[in-house]
Amino acid sequence: MSEIVRRALFLAPGLAMASAVSAADRPVPRAVMVSTWDFGRVANAAGIEVRRARGSALDMVEAGGRVVESDPDNTSVGIGGYPDRDGRVTLDACVMNWNGDIGAVCALEDIAHPVSVARAVMEKTPHTMLVGEGARRFALDQAFETAVMPSPSAEAAWREWLKTSTYAPVSNRENTEWRSMPGGPGNHDTIGLLAIGLDGHMAGACTTSGLAFKMRGRVGDSPIIGAGLFVDDEVGAATATGVGEDVVRVAGSHAVVEAMRQGKSPTEACRSVIERLARLRGTAVADHQVAFLALSKSGEWGGWALQPGFTFAVTDASGATRVERAGSLFEAR
Ligand code: ASP
């Protein structure tokens, strides 16, 4: 284990904890929707509208995911997503409902709303996951909206990247040069959404264009149930963002939910899985960003990350929303 991982894990927990928002600062006692990153705010606003119209938790997370997928300026989700190293945008998404119903699409091309296609896989096929050309054909058969990708600015970023063709996930975290790097601002970030409906049932969704300039055919954690998303209607739900290869290694979202089942709060559950990943991988993750976000069945929430800078949006039943900044294992460098 590297010195930096050892220090973060064993010697400086107080410092890492200091960056978390304390429970006393929170304006809302119970959340009904949480979503990753700052763009979770607009996602939650859409989800709450759906809840007011008596939509289900699944309707809430799908609506929120669609808003972010529609943003041409979002370079890591939906139509504005950065392409793979061959210049093709391949989208990954999944949904999970309270009763264990699941649906996912991987490496879906030319379709504007992968989160809705994932839901259709769940509701209209005997399967749980469709990939690549089969997923695309299914989406076209179901008359899902198409989109021309990459967007002009995503294509320009890819052409710039081609000049060096250096592949490295750029962590979205504080105090780095990521804004000026090819693929910046941040060349990955997924929207993961967790919600509690009016009937008390939970659902989740996760949608992404994955790591910018990834190998063709690469699939991350986001469409993998148990890794990018897991919902257990008895306990709570969790979602992940960051380097998907790391999340898959610890079946991250499932591990967070199981930690809650053992009695940990959402924040502590996320933190325990981040620490486990760091123990497992040592220096291999010292420069990566991985973050988890969790919502308990009773509406408690929390997140934790490897690196500082992970934010998430929290919304209560009235629609009041705040963006919080998660604590992290490593300190800002
Ligand atoms: N988890 C996503 C992936 O690996 C990327 C991200 O959330 O930053 O595809």
Side-chain angles (χ1 to χ4, degrees), residues 111-179:
I111 303 293
H113 293 297
V115 71
S116 296
V117 185
R119 181 173 180 171
V121 170
M122 178 177 97
E123 293 178 339
K124 297 184 176 168
T125 80
H127 308 304
T128 56
M129 180 183 280
L130 293 177
V131 308
E133 182 51 26
R136 181 173 168 277
R137 210 164 349 131
F138 170 71
L140 294 174
D141 286 350
Q142 296 289 320
F144 278 103
E145 185 188 337
T146 58
V148 176
M149 292 176 260
S151 68
S153 58
E155 177 160 354
W158 170 64
R159 293 202 180 281
E160 189 59 29
W161 174 82
L162 279 179
K163 291 178 184 164
T164 56
S165 300
T166 305
Y167 179 73
V170 181
S171 293
N172 188 349
R173 66 177 192 216
E174 293 163 339
N175 297 347
T176 69
E177 298 303 309
W178 59 272
R179 281 179 190 280

Side-chain angles (χ1 to χ4, degrees), residues 21-333:
V21 173
S22 77
D25 295 335
R26 291 176 171 165
V28 291
R30 294 271 179 266
V32 297
M33 189 161 182
V34 295
S35 301
T36 54
W37 302 109
D38 293 10
F39 46 61
R41 185 186 282 279
V42 289
N44 286 8
I48 289 298
E49 279 310 304
V50 166
R51 195 175 196 265
R52 287 198 179 112
R54 311 204 69 77
S56 67
L58 185 63
D59 297 331
M60 291 168 70
V61 293
E62 181 188 5
R66 287 175 65 97
V67 168
V68 180
E69 288 174 344
S70 302
D71 179 358
D73 296 326
N74 187 318
T75 59
S76 53
V77 179
I79 61 169
Y82 280 163
D84 65 16
R85 54 181 61 178
D86 292 3
R88 309 285 291 268
V89 179
T90 63
L91 303 171
D92 299 334
C94 70
V95 296
M96 184 162 187
N97 209 357
W98 65 276
N99 58 355
D101 279 345
I102 56 174
V105 287
C106 305
L108 177 65
E109 294 183 44
D110 308 329
I111 303 293
H113 293 297
V115 71
S116 296
V117 185
R119 181 173 180 171
V121 170
M122 178 177 97
E123 293 178 339
K124 297 184 176 168
T125 80
H127 308 304
T128 56
M129 180 183 280
L130 293 177
V131 308
E133 182 51 26
R136 181 173 168 277
R137 210 164 349 131
F138 170 71
L140 294 174
D141 286 350
Q142 296 289 320
F144 278 103
E145 185 188 337
T146 58
V148 176
M149 292 176 260
S151 68
S153 58
E155 177 160 354
W158 170 64
R159 293 202 180 281
E160 189 59 29
W161 174 82
L162 279 179
K163 291 178 184 164
T164 56
S165 300
T166 305
Y167 179 73
V170 181
S171 293
N172 188 349
R173 66 177 192 216
E174 293 163 339
N175 297 347
T176 69
E177 298 303 309
W178 59 272
R179 281 179 190 280
S180 58
M181 295 180 75
N187 68 5
H188 59 87
D189 279 350
T190 294
I191 180 131
L193 315 99
L194 311 171
I196 304 173
L198 288 167
D199 58 4
H201 285 316
M202 302 189 80
C206 193
T207 174
T208 190
S209 53
L211 301 184
F213 320 129
K214 59 195 174 186
M215 286 177 70
R216 182 143 183 82
R218 180 266 186 190
V219 172
D221 61 310
S222 305
I224 311 292
I225 296 294
L229 177 70
F230 197 72
V231 176
D232 183 311
D233 206 48
E234 290 178 352
V235 174
T239 188
T241 180
V243 177
E245 285 75 359
D246 296 329
V247 177
V248 170
R249 287 180 222 285
V250 290
S253 293
H254 182 260
V256 170
V257 170
E258 290 310 301
M260 287 197 285
R261 194 192 305 282
Q262 302 308 319
K264 286 191 165 37
S265 71
T267 304
E268 284 305 316
C270 293
R271 183 178 182 177
S272 70
V273 180
I274 288 290
E275 291 181 353
R276 182 169 149 199
L277 176 66
R279 282 196 303 275
L280 180 70
R281 301 298 288 168
T283 47
V285 295
D287 236 11
H288 289 183
Q289 177 61 301
V290 171
F292 295 110
L293 174 61
L295 179 64
S296 78
K297 176 76 177 163
S298 60
E300 295 176 282
W301 69 92
W304 203 263
L306 274 177
Q307 314 290 344
F310 172 53
T311 59
F312 53 88
V314 183
T315 301
D316 72 6
S318 76
T321 299
R322 63 178 281 160
V323 173
E324 291 189 7
R325 180 176 168 280
S328 60
L329 180 64
F330 299 126
E331 297 165 46
R333 273 181 283 149

